[in-house]
Amino acid sequence: MKYRKKGIKREHSIIEDFEKDLQTLVEEGLIKSAIPGRIYTSPKAQSGKKVITYQYDTETGAKLLMKKGSTVQEVFVITEKREELKNYLDTKY
């Protein structure tokens, strides 16, 4: 089932603890909406802090990568504030 909740599209689940971070990006006005992709995990389970990195620009926004331990998820965001988003993620994560 696909639906949106406060700017975040719900087609795939979101890595634990990242939903609040994406919601903060929407509330700060840095992104208009987020479309999470599939979650990938490594067979070698590792613990680790959560990290969001800016990967590259897309036609309508950017691709972000969310990581926590050995779990990785792509997120495509719609934004016109690419530079502000890059700076925010660099300072926060």
Side-chain angles (χ1 to χ4, degrees):
M1 173 181 266
K2 301 176 194 177
Y3 65 95
R4 289 186 187 269
K5 181 179 175 186
K6 296 183 181 179
I8 301 171
K9 187 174 181 181
R10 309 300 170 135
E11 183 174 352
H12 298 285
S13 45
I14 299 172
I15 299 174
E16 184 181 345
D17 299 334
F18 280 104
E19 185 172 353
K20 186 182 259 186
D21 295 305
L22 291 176
Q23 192 59 49
T24 300
L25 294 176
V26 172
E27 291 169 0
E28 294 281 329
L30 294 170
I31 64 173
K32 292 181 182 179
S33 67
I35 305 161
R38 289 180 50 203
I39 297 173
Y40 298 93
T41 57
S42 170
K44 297 179 181 179
Q46 301 172 351
S47 61
K49 65 178 187 168
K50 59 184 189 174
V51 177
I52 301 177
T53 56
Y54 192 102
Q55 292 294 296
Y56 56 81
D57 295 340
T58 63
E59 193 172 312
T60 58
K63 176 187 167 189
L64 308 180
L65 207 58
M66 300 187 305
K67 297 180 187 177
K68 184 174 183 184
S70 60
T71 306
V72 178
Q73 184 171 24
E74 297 176 328
V75 179
F76 292 91
V77 296
I78 298 171
T79 184
E80 295 173 357
K81 300 179 179 181
R82 291 178 180 94
E83 287 303 317
E84 291 177 45
L85 179 60
K86 282 182 194 177
N87 293 336
Y88 180 85
L89 293 175
D90 286 343
T91 59
K92 179 121 175 150
Y93 299 95

